[in-house]
Amino acid sequence: MIEKISDKLRQLRQRVGEYPTKNLNITLEPLSLLAFLKAQKEITPAIFWQDKAHQRRVVCLGAIDDINHIPEINDEARYYGGLAFQQQGKQWQNFPAVRFIRPALEFSEENSVLTLICHFDGNTSIETTLLLLATLRPSAPLNNISTQITSRNDSPNQQHWAELVDLAIEYKALLPKVVLSRQTELICETQLDYCDLLAQWHEANPNSFLFSFKFAKDNVFIGCSPERLFERSDNKLQTEALAGTVNRGRNEREDNILLQSLLTDKKIDRENYLVQEFIIANLKRLKAQVSCEEPHVLQLHNVQHLCVPIHAQLPPETSDAELLYRLHPTPAVGGSPKLPALQFINDNEPYLRGWYAGAVGHLSANHSDFSVAIRSALLTEKRIKLFAGAGIVTGSIAEQEWQELDNKIHTILDIITLKGEQ
């Protein structure tokens, strides 16, 4: 594979010179992209992306552009990255408020066809790409994770959580909904491989986005998120209100009872409606034509969510930057009204969310796709920080919401300790 790519690059050099202005696309034999990414431990940036419908799976290696703003694109460029939920602390030093990269090498699999896109912009030399190519290693096998958790620390702890829930409910006149969250830090006996973890996470929850962003060698942000922020194809947009959560049942009958409760519970309906209202209002401010589908239930391994798909026809001049700043963060991860909810979170949560509950994805001139970075984790050697949130509205009970947080991280806890295999 390396020799074939190198030959194509040398041929390109003979045709256009050392600094091409257009990308080079090369069709390759299929390979497991996660297994391939696992072997490239020394390369940063390194990004993995898989969309919710499994139509596209991507590995990005290296970068020809690394920026701290949302790019405006009118050519063949594609950028990958995201926006943070809030200001960053020390643990988020490689994940600023906004960061996007244009990869040097983009391995893209669509409809079982693997294409390598070598990105060029007139400033990157073929020699630089050849040097990066020479560092690539053959795929490494994906393995089941098996380790022991030696310590766990929840921030906030359960007592503090109960106090925050009570405080949020006291503010119900100003805050009909606020989403509170928790960081669960685990120390493991052995180092976790994030590609192994992603593969098993996706196996448990296949109807989710799958992503990893590694900007430096010492940490990586990963996720298996069920929530779409938006997908734009030219001027057509689809998004969703994903809010309201119940457990999966112990058997089919209990599962169906819980599913029906999602569709009929007034508290859940109110929580979801606040998200719908926010999304529709902000799309209409962009002069979009908006329509909603009927609610349905999205079932995951341990929980199920109420989901309302939303479609919009956008004016031609609408930019991805406008969409991101209008729609992120939605009340599904922040609250309603937006600014008071975000202020409450900033003032009261005992840790900084960083890219958790942020927006991650990719954008190009014709197509952009972003997920809300929930069901996510930050890995550093033997340490993993898991994140989960719960919407607090009138009628919320702190103990039940705490259990919801546990349910949302249960899948990844099972993977780490192999409990799901027993």
Side-chain angles (χ1 to χ4, degrees), residues 181-200:
S181 71
R182 182 184 75 193
Q183 173 183 276
T184 298
E185 182 180 53
L186 308 175
I187 308 295
C188 301
E189 278 189 348
T190 55
Q191 185 167 341
L192 302 174
D193 187 283
Y194 74 94
C195 293
D196 291 338
L197 188 53
L198 280 176
Q200 290 178 258

Side-chain angles (χ1 to χ4, degrees), residues 297-316:
V297 174
L298 175 64
Q299 293 186 312
L300 303 174
H301 189 63
N302 283 307
V303 295
Q304 40 195 339
H305 301 291
L306 185 63
C307 180
V308 176
I310 300 170
H311 303 273
Q313 182 72 33
L314 302 168

Side-chain angles (χ1 to χ4, degrees), residues 246-261 297 299 304:
V246 297
N247 295 347
R248 294 300 301 269
R250 291 168 293 183
N251 51 52
E252 186 176 352
R253 179 177 176 275
E254 186 177 283
D255 208 31
N256 285 330
I257 291 171
L258 289 165
L259 183 151
Q260 289 302 318
S261 75
V297 174
Q299 293 186 312
Q304 40 195 339

Side-chain angles (χ1 to χ4, degrees), residues 2-17 20 24 26 105 116 118 120 125-127 129-131 133:
I2 303 300
E3 194 54 44
K4 175 183 177 180
I5 300 167
S6 299
D7 287 345
K8 294 285 187 182
L9 284 166
R10 294 186 185 104
Q11 291 168 20
L12 179 67
R13 176 189 275 156
Q14 291 178 345
R15 293 197 306 272
V16 304
L24 174 65
I26 305 169
L105 301 176
L116 168 61
C118 301
F120 292 104
S125 69
I126 289 178
E127 184 61 29
T129 305
L130 286 168
L131 290 172
L133 195 64

Side-chain angles (χ1 to χ4, degrees), residues 148-168:
Q148 294 295 317
I149 298 169
T150 59
S151 71
R152 170 175 171 166
N153 179 59
D154 292 313
S155 180
N157 60 27
Q158 191 165 2
Q159 180 181 343
H160 188 192
W161 171 262
E163 293 167 357
L164 289 178
V165 170
D166 288 344
L167 182 61

Side-chain angles (χ1 to χ4, degrees), residues 323-338:
L323 291 168
L324 285 166
Y325 284 128
R326 284 284 185 186
L327 297 179
H328 163 72
T330 74
V333 292
S336 179
K338 179 178 178 177

Side-chain angles (χ1 to χ4, degrees), residues 66-71 80-86 88 94-101 215 321 324-325 328 355 359 363 370:
D66 189 338
I67 56 177
N68 295 131
H69 62 270
I70 301 169
Y80 292 81
L83 285 70
F85 178 88
Q86 64 179 173
Q88 293 71 52
N94 301 310
F95 299 89
V98 180
R99 187 170 186 178
F100 284 91
I101 67 128
F215 293 122
L324 285 166
Y325 284 128
H328 163 72
W355 275 34
L363 50 85
F370 283 86

